[in-house]
Amino acid sequence: MPETSPRGLTRLAFGGDYNPEQWPESVWQDDVRLMREAGVTMVSVGIFSWALLEPSPGTYDFGWLDRVIGLLHDNGIRVDLGTPTVAPPVWFYREHPDALPVTAEGVRYEFGSRAAICHSNADYRAAAANITTRLAERYGDHPALAMWHVHNEYGVPVSACYCDSCAAHFRRWLETTYGTVDAVNEAWGTAFWGQRYAGFEDVNPPRATPTVGNPGQALDYKRFADATMRENFRAERDILHRLAPGVPVTTNFMTALSQCDSVDYWAWGREVDIVTNDHYLITDGRRTHVNLAMAADLTRSVAGGAPWILLEHSTSGVNWQPRNPAKAPGQMARNSLGHVARGSEGAMFFQWRQSRRGAEKFHSAMVPHGGTDTRVWNEIVELGASLDSLGAIRGTRTEADVAVLWDWHSWWAQNLAWRPSEDADPRERADAFYEALYDRHLTVDFAHPEADLSAYPLVVVPALYLMTEAAGNNLREYVASGGTLVVSYFSGIVDEHDAVHEGAFPGALRDVLGLTVEEFSPLLPGENVRVIGPDGRALTGDVWTEFVVPRGAETVWTYAEGLTEGRPAVTRHRLGEGTAWYVSTRLGAEGLDALLGLAAEDAAIVPRAELPHDVEVVRRSGGTGSYLFAINHTAADAKVPLETSGTELLTGERAAGRLAVPAGAVRVVRLDG
């Protein structure tokens, strides 16, 4: 069986994408000297190198890669070796132009970027299998090889193609999935608008139509596109497993909801030997460290709670956003160690040396254009030393307090056309609820709606428009057994085919919430409603309201105005040993904090009022002990209470009572006992 950590790596992973082919060989010796100076332990190689490895069909040049891997091995640096299948060479497209993807509008993309791939194309699949086989045969037993890195960032920038090859593949997928075309007609509700199909040969991808097409078809095509990419990953993975047994295989995810919306990472997490992730700060005015924590928690959850690896992030600014500010001094270390606190077994970057040419020449790197006489380089060296001092945490697991339910299929379904309000954004609600939990200093596990939730005293549902009957039953059992559930509006509405559950809204959640919803009443831009609690406190909602009818639930907050004036806005339902809360409007930060405070009381979660705002505290524990990470994102020194004394690993000092965490700094305490 393949290992579940990089083979031969005895320290935390530290390094980045290494692209020596962009530089003359005279630079390579300098590269490895600097890698040793910085404490680099692993680099990713060969991800975009197909055109160099196979310069013409059937002609191979591995000499340069032999020298690079040999040089790295001689200097004690492990290799994450890429299969370069994200970037086929120009000769491949010249021979197989139909391997370029086609948009829903019928436009075929051109060569000249990356990931321009029709994943259903048989010629692409054959060529990808061939170059993967050649690499595995040559390097599968190389002593430097730590793990395989298949492709790159599946789903970005193209996940779905709409060409004739995809149409034929889609029909085969439907037949395998449903068995008969009658079952497809039933699932998609094709009786509506006379869309009924007589045979699979009549079905096409959801290409451009005069008005909105069939939502069931559109949802299934998203599933098909994701499954097709996964088929290609498995094909390469299986070759690598066969020819290089024991070497783990991964591909770099982009789990942050701000970065990729086309991949079902619950499914992908089951396919890789090691979960790895790429994360980049989105500079949209939000608190970027909260998005980072959320992405790390989501990645760890996709890994089933096991350690994972941050395979890419940036040393400073990126180059692909409208505005790309530099990271502040110390921010790179906080970002890196924030991922480590939440389960990563290291921190790697894109890329090692900043490119002089190409689309990403302004993207920051470990070695900037300015070389070693730069702030970034000095911080890289400091970070390498910090990570080296944290080796004892390897194999430990992050401890979570609560669970947030998330399902990519529901996200896909809710974002289809013709919903009650385009302002009802599932990602926004997920971000908002996560931020509210973060500000209460609660560490979050994400979970699939059908997963075992018994370990969590509190489960939060920010947005689950699509919910299977099994998921609804799971939540009912969770609450009846003593759990506390918080559900936000427009959840439990449709089944896995985007068909409304029979009966009143919210079909899959009616029983557990003890209510029905007669009608949705979305608000117009700029409209707000006041909601009043039993203590007379007024909070504000926007975007969404509902006509809620309690059927066992008690009313906690009431609408004070608007069409729903006098009706329940927030309810609480006792079921069995537990409690289910429902909020039928979009609350802001103050309202969410109040709601989650009440739910936390039901869940018997002790408030952590002593912890300062924007000072995050996370614990990892395992066979080597228990470790407390304290990360200060503020400009003021902070004190963090310790339940027991310990040793601070970054400074070597003893810590007891209240841990001093300087402004912008990180402290990691190995707790005694």
Side-chain angles (χ1 to χ4, degrees), residues 121 144 158 166 316 512 565 638 670:
N121 184 271
V158 178
C166 288
S316 191
V512 70
E565 182 177 358
R670 181 173 183 172

Side-chain angles (χ1 to χ4, degrees), residues 307-499:
W308 54 280
I309 298 176
L310 175 66
L311 209 54
E312 287 185 27
H313 72 312
S314 66
T315 58
S316 191
V318 298
N319 71 304
W320 38 264
Q321 298 181 82
R323 286 158 290 280
N324 300 284
K327 290 185 177 180
Q331 186 179 1
M332 177 179 63
R334 289 197 305 279
N335 289 168
S336 301
L337 296 177
H339 285 286
V340 173
R342 295 175 186 272
S344 178
E345 298 280 69
M348 298 182 65
F349 296 88
F350 180 84
Q351 59 181 322
W352 165 250
R353 184 178 288 274
Q354 197 167 15
S355 300
R356 290 186 58 219
R357 300 173 177 86
E360 295 187 286
K361 56 183 171 287
F362 297 117
H363 191 296
S364 60
M366 298 175 76
V367 181
H369 290 307
T372 57
D373 188 23
T374 56
R375 173 179 68 90
V376 166
W377 173 254
N378 291 332
E379 290 192 18
I380 281 289
V381 174
E382 292 174 7
L383 177 60
S386 295
L387 289 171
D388 192 51
S389 69
L390 299 180
I393 70 165
R394 292 178 71 238
T396 61
R397 294 192 173 209
T398 300
E399 299 178 3
D401 304 297
V402 301
V404 170
L405 301 192
W406 182 255
D407 181 17
W408 278 273
H409 293 229
S410 180
W411 191 16
W412 298 341
Q414 188 173 339
N415 282 345
L416 295 174
W418 287 13
R419 298 310 186 232
S421 173
E422 65 180 17
D423 298 324
D425 179 358
R427 179 200 152 191
E428 183 278 331
R429 282 294 81 185
D431 287 344
F433 271 91
Y434 182 90
E435 188 166 5
L437 292 165
Y438 178 96
D439 285 341
R440 297 187 73 84
H441 301 285
L442 297 173
T443 301
V444 171
D445 273 349
F446 286 84
H448 188 275
E450 297 179 16
D452 179 6
L453 304 172
S454 59
Y456 303 102
L458 176 63
V459 170
V460 176
V461 178
L464 277 177
Y465 159 77
L466 183 154
M467 186 177 289
T468 63
E469 182 179 349
N473 292 337
N474 188 43
L475 294 184
R476 190 183 192 287
E477 181 179 346
Y478 165 75
V479 173
S481 299
T484 300
L485 177 69
V486 177
V487 177
S488 186
Y489 60 88
F490 205 42
S491 293
I493 306 302
V494 300
D495 67 11
E496 60 270 33
H497 303 300
D498 197 46

Side-chain angles (χ1 to χ4, degrees), residues 635-652:
D637 295 347
K639 298 279 190 179
V640 171
L642 294 176
E643 59 191 54
T644 183
S645 59
T647 301
E648 204 290 306
L649 298 180
L650 300 179
T651 63

Side-chain angles (χ1 to χ4, degrees), residues 115-392:
I117 296 163
C118 167
H119 282 277
S120 294
N121 184 271
D123 295 310
Y124 168 75
R125 291 183 167 204
N130 178 68
I131 191 64
T132 298
T133 299
R134 298 283 179 162
L135 285 165
E137 289 173 340
R138 192 172 189 91
Y139 301 108
D141 60 355
H142 197 289
L145 182 62
M147 63 182 186
W148 293 102
H149 180 311
V150 170
H151 205 266
N152 183 73
E153 295 177 346
Y154 279 98
V156 178
V158 178
S159 60
C161 171
Y162 298 81
C163 71
D164 289 342
S165 292
C166 288
H169 191 186
F170 184 43
R171 294 176 196 121
R172 295 192 298 272
W173 182 85
L174 288 172
E175 189 165 9
T176 299
T177 302
Y178 289 100
T180 67
V181 74
D182 286 342
V184 173
N185 284 317
E186 175 65 22
W188 293 358
T190 57
F192 185 79
W193 280 359
Q195 297 170 342
R196 186 170 182 80
Y197 296 102
F200 285 109
E201 65 276 8
D202 295 327
V203 182
N204 277 319
R207 294 166 175 157
T209 51
T211 185
V212 174
N214 186 293
Q217 177 191 25
L219 178 58
D220 265 348
Y221 204 74
K222 290 179 179 293
R223 291 172 172 141
F224 160 75
D226 178 57
T228 301
M229 292 187 292
R230 206 157 56 246
E231 283 179 18
N232 286 358
F233 167 77
R234 282 197 297 264
E236 293 188 43
R237 179 203 63 192
D238 292 349
I239 291 169
L240 298 170
H241 279 170
R242 176 170 53 85
L243 296 177
V247 181
V249 180
T250 190
T251 185
N252 45 341
F253 295 167
M254 298 191 75
T255 63
L257 306 186
S258 54
Q259 291 175 234
C260 183
D261 63 358
S262 59
V263 174
D264 176 6
Y265 286 115
W266 293 127
W268 282 80
R270 297 189 292 268
E271 301 290 354
V272 297
D273 299 321
I274 305 172
V275 166
T276 62
N277 194 54
D278 298 351
H279 181 263
Y280 293 96
L281 302 182
I282 303 299
T283 52
D284 59 359
R286 306 184 190 202
R287 297 156 70 201
T288 55
H289 56 279
V290 179
N291 176 274
L292 183 155
M294 182 177 178
D297 284 344
L298 186 50
T299 306
R300 181 187 69 254
S301 302
V302 166
W308 54 280
I309 298 176
L310 175 66
L311 209 54
E312 287 185 27
H313 72 312
S314 66
T315 58
S316 191
V318 298
N319 71 304
W320 38 264
Q321 298 181 82
R323 286 158 290 280
N324 300 284
K327 290 185 177 180
Q331 186 179 1
M332 177 179 63
R334 289 197 305 279
N335 289 168
S336 301
L337 296 177
H339 285 286
V340 173
R342 295 175 186 272
S344 178
E345 298 280 69
M348 298 182 65
F349 296 88
F350 180 84
Q351 59 181 322
W352 165 250
R353 184 178 288 274
Q354 197 167 15
S355 300
R356 290 186 58 219
R357 300 173 177 86
E360 295 187 286
K361 56 183 171 287
F362 297 117
H363 191 296
S364 60
M366 298 175 76
V367 181
H369 290 307
T372 57
D373 188 23
T374 56
R375 173 179 68 90
V376 166
W377 173 254
N378 291 332
E379 290 192 18
I380 281 289
V381 174
E382 292 174 7
L383 177 60
S386 295
L387 289 171
D388 192 51
S389 69
L390 299 180

Side-chain angles (χ1 to χ4, degrees), residues 612-613 615 632-640 659-665 667:
H613 184 70
V615 176
N632 187 350
H633 296 285
T634 77
D637 295 347
K639 298 279 190 179
V640 171
L659 172 69
V661 187
R667 293 291 180 262

